[in-house]
């Protein structure tokens, strides 16, 4: 479907869905546990449902609490425990890179051959680095298509305790997968990383393993990780916190429009690196109040701010520029790039090569689609540089240098691209609108995104 977005003032309260990263980790560890685990507030997104469909292949039983085909707010997992086994069929991970990289390492613990595949997007995601890591531990692993670095991936176990030396640069997900796989090893797994990226997600995995009683250590520079197995895991009950990757979109929508929005059920645990977006946006003048006790964020933009102007600018930053090292939370790049287009000054999103290996090459497609809407943006090998303008001058009058306009844009079936471009439309001048093609892909991480935002008066419409 195509979604139309135009200038709107937002108001009201919303609750952002549970974290995808936490939900998938909970499902995987509940599968490895002995007993019945209960997962409350799970994210019923496509990626999480792909995980729920995959883990029964290695021994779990899943009850999603379906009502008329809709997953409930509590999922029950009957864990495989010591009976966890080689997949009983080909593992189809759908569009989930997290599941791909997690399950590849876990199934390497079993004697026999596993085949892992996914949708067209997943088949373009690199997997040679995964195969190399598993081979270092004694497995056989290779792709089915000679010369193609992508699924289907063959994994033939069984891995043994030892040391893996890998960059960690391509993704943190396969490192987390190795850490989880270490639970089943009869001995110590050492992971040596030469260039670790997305490190907050490694911390998230560490905290999950520690909660399950698994001995795990990570050095301060994230270059040395150690997991000691085997560890029998007991069933658990957990409530999934809100997803900071999803919070970014209503947050940016609020600061680029004349809006006042309250986002509830905010995760203040510090386990999601994407919460860095709050301080980044505040550094350019965004009015964001985070009440950690009440677990709420109130965001005001434009005429709804305290000064009635709400101008975003880099002028008070060193050198008059905002520099964001994005490697720790790369999923925020699309939303941050949109915010930068409404900010007076230069925003440099750097250390961003990891963003090229997501659902799309996000450096390339962000540049392409924002240019269609009048943005002044430069793409480098591992950075984006955005020369933005606020819609208003410091006195609140119209800024003649603000050139963003409407148009047709592609989502590339990338959920974060679709939501970011739909958000951008809310801040455009009167009479302009953005049409986002194939916008339904947001269901991968934020089901019913457009309906939720329409509760705030976003007025997203389905169009031809």
């Amino acid at each position: 479907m195509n979604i139309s977005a135009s200038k709107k003032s937002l108001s009201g309260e919303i609750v952002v869905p549970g974290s995808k990263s936490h939900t998938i980790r909970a499902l995987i560890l509940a599968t490895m546990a002995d007993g019945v685990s209960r997962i409350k507030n799970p994210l019923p997104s496509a990626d999480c449902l792909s995980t729920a469909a995959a883990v029964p292949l290695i021994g779990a039983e899943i009850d999603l609490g379906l009502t008329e085909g809709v997953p409930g707010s509590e999922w029950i997992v009957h864990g495989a425990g010591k009976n966890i086994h080689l997949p009983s069929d080909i593992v189809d991970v759908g569009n989930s890179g997290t599941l791909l990289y997690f399950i590849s390492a876990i199934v390497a613990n079993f004697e026999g051959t596993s085949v892992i595949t996914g949708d067209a997007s997943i088949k373009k995601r690199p997997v040679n680095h995964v195969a190399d890591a598993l081979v270092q531990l004694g497995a056989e692993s290779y792709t089915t298509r000679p010369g193609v670095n992508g699924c289907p991936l063959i994994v033939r176990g069984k891995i043994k305790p030892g040391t893996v030396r890998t960059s960690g640069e391509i993704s943190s997900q396969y490192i987390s997968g190795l850490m989880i796989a270490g639970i089943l090893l009869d001995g110590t797994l050492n992971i040596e990383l030469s260039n670790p990226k997305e490190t907050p997600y490694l911390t998230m995995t560490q905290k999950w393993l520690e909660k399950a009683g698994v001995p795990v250590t990570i050095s301060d520079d994230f270059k040395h990780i150690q997991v000691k197995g085997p560890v029998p895991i007991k069933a658990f009950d957990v409530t999934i916190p809100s997803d900071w990757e999803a919070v970014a979109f209503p947050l940016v929508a609020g600061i680029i429009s004349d809006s006042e929005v309250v986002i509830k059920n905010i995760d203040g645990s510090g386990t999601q690196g994407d919460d860095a977006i709050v301080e980044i946006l505040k550094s350019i003048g965004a009015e964001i109040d985070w009440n950690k006790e009440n677990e709420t964020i109130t965001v005001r933009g434009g005429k709804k701010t305290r000064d009635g102007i709400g101008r975003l600018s880099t002028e008070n930053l060193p050198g008059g520029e905002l520099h964001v090292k994005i490697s720790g939370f790369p999923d925020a790049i699309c939303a941050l790039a949109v915010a930068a287009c409404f900010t007076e000054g230069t925003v440099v999103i750097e250390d961003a090569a990891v963003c090229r290996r997501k659902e799309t090459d996000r450096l390339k497609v962000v540049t392409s689609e924002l240019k269609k809407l009048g943005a002044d943006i430069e793409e480098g090998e591992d950075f984006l540089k955005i020369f933005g303008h606020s819609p208003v001058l410091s006195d609140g009058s119209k800024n003649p240098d603000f050139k963003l306009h409407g148009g047709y844009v592609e989502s590339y079936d990338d959920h974060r691209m679709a939501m970011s471009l739909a958000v951008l439309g809310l801040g455009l001048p009167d009479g302009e609108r953005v049409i986002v093609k194939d916008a339904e892909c947001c269901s991968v991480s934020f089901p019913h995104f457009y309906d939720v935002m329409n509760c705030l008066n976003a007025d997203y419409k389905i169009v031809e």
Side-chain angles (χ1 to χ4, degrees):
M1 69 181 182
N2 299 336
I3 286 289
S4 170
S6 57
K7 183 176 181 179
K8 288 293 178 296
S9 297
L10 307 181
S11 62
E13 299 181 349
I14 59 170
V15 177
V16 169
S19 162
K20 180 179 75 167
S21 298
H22 279 295
T23 299
I24 292 177
R25 283 165 174 79
L27 283 168
I28 294 288
L29 289 173
T31 294
M32 301 173 75
D34 182 27
V36 179
S37 298
R38 288 173 169 79
I39 303 171
K40 300 176 182 178
N41 193 42
L43 175 66
S45 72
D47 281 8
C48 296
L49 294 176
S50 291
T51 304
V55 291
L57 300 178
I58 58 175
E61 294 180 16
I62 306 289
D63 179 358
L64 299 179
L66 296 174
T67 301
E68 297 183 353
V70 178
S73 59
E74 179 176 300
W75 296 354
I76 299 174
V77 182
H78 296 260
K82 65 179 182 298
N83 296 316
I84 191 169
H85 55 69
L86 188 77
S88 56
D89 202 341
I90 293 171
V91 180
D92 186 339
V93 303
N95 187 249
S96 177
T98 303
L99 176 57
L100 164 64
Y101 293 137
F102 282 16
I103 203 74
S104 300
I106 292 168
V107 300
N109 274 286
F110 311 121
E111 297 281 0
T113 302
S114 301
V115 181
I116 303 163
T117 191
D119 67 8
S121 175
I122 279 293
K123 289 175 181 175
K124 297 176 183 177
R125 299 281 283 269
V127 293
N128 283 348
H129 59 295
V130 179
D132 175 71
L134 298 178
V135 167
Q136 290 182 52
L137 295 175
E140 293 182 54
S141 187
Y142 51 88
T143 63
T144 61
R145 298 174 291 167
V148 177
N149 183 10
C151 285
L153 177 69
I154 303 297
V155 178
R156 183 175 295 120
K158 163 175 182 176
I159 57 174
K160 299 176 181 178
T163 299
V164 172
R165 293 180 174 86
T166 185
S167 71
E169 179 179 357
I170 293 178
S171 168
S172 69
Q173 292 167 334
Y174 77 108
I175 306 303
S176 285
L178 288 168
M179 293 169 67
I180 295 170
I183 297 172
L184 301 174
L185 287 175
D186 188 12
T188 300
L189 171 65
N190 292 294
I191 306 172
E192 303 292 323
L193 304 179
S194 59
N195 191 22
K197 301 293 183 182
E198 301 180 303
T199 54
Y201 294 102
L202 299 180
T203 300
M204 180 188 293
T205 301
Q206 178 187 23
K207 290 183 179 298
W208 270 100
L209 295 187
E210 289 175 340
K211 191 183 299 183
V214 180
V216 54
T217 58
I218 300 180
S219 63
D220 291 342
D221 61 4
F222 290 90
K223 291 186 175 182
H224 311 284
I225 301 173
Q226 186 178 86
V227 181
K228 294 182 179 180
V231 178
I233 300 177
K234 295 181 180 180
F236 54 84
D237 293 351
V238 67
T239 299
I240 301 300
S242 55
D243 191 352
W244 268 102
E245 295 167 2
V247 169
F249 301 106
L251 200 61
V252 170
I255 66 172
I256 67 172
S257 57
D258 297 331
S259 300
E260 182 171 355
V261 172
V262 177
I263 309 170
K264 303 169 69 175
N265 192 32
I266 293 294
D267 177 18
S269 68
T271 59
Q272 300 183 60
D274 293 69
D275 61 6
I277 194 172
V278 170
E279 291 305 317
I280 291 168
L281 296 178
K282 288 174 71 172
S283 76
I284 56 175
E287 193 169 299
I288 301 170
D289 298 322
W290 183 357
N291 188 321
K292 293 188 178 182
E293 183 176 348
N294 293 335
E295 299 182 340
T296 62
I297 278 181
T298 302
V299 53
R300 301 178 186 87
K303 295 177 182 178
K304 296 296 182 67
T305 57
R306 293 182 181 92
D307 67 4
I309 298 173
R311 184 171 183 262
L312 305 175
S313 173
T314 64
E315 59 193 357
N316 294 322
L317 297 172
E321 296 183 348
L322 171 63
H323 287 256
V324 179
K325 187 175 181 179
I326 201 71
S327 61
F329 50 108
D331 286 328
I333 190 167
C334 303
L336 276 175
V338 166
C341 292
F342 291 82
T343 301
E344 192 68 33
T346 301
V347 175
V348 184
I349 304 175
E350 51 200 8
D351 196 15
V354 67
C355 300
R356 294 192 182 278
R357 297 181 286 270
K358 296 295 184 178
E359 283 81 347
T360 56
D361 178 343
R362 285 181 177 153
L363 300 188
K364 179 179 179 180
V365 300
V366 165
T367 301
S368 169
E369 301 314 295
L370 292 185
K371 279 187 174 181
K372 290 180 182 178
L373 303 176
D376 187 355
I377 181 171
E378 175 187 338
E379 175 192 354
E381 183 176 345
D382 70 342
F383 70 87
L384 292 180
K385 186 176 288 187
I386 301 147
F387 307 93
H389 290 288
S390 168
V392 295
L393 299 174
S394 56
D395 63 0
S397 60
K398 185 176 179 180
N399 184 358
D401 292 328
F402 182 76
K403 303 295 185 182
L404 286 184
H405 54 75
Y408 283 81
V409 287
E410 303 285 345
S411 71
Y412 299 90
D413 287 324
D414 183 336
H415 52 127
R416 303 200 195 284
M417 281 296 297
M419 290 184 282
S420 296
L421 293 167
V423 162
L424 183 147
L426 302 176
L428 289 178
D430 287 326
E432 299 287 344
R433 71 172 184 166
V434 169
I435 307 294
V436 185
K437 299 179 182 178
D438 301 318
E440 68 273 13
C441 57
C442 68
S443 64
V444 166
S445 61
F446 199 149
H448 313 297
F449 169 73
Y450 305 108
D451 293 335
V452 171
M453 292 297 291
N454 281 349
C455 291
L456 299 175
N457 192 44
D459 197 27
Y460 290 130
K461 293 184 172 70
I462 299 175
V463 297
E464 294 293 332

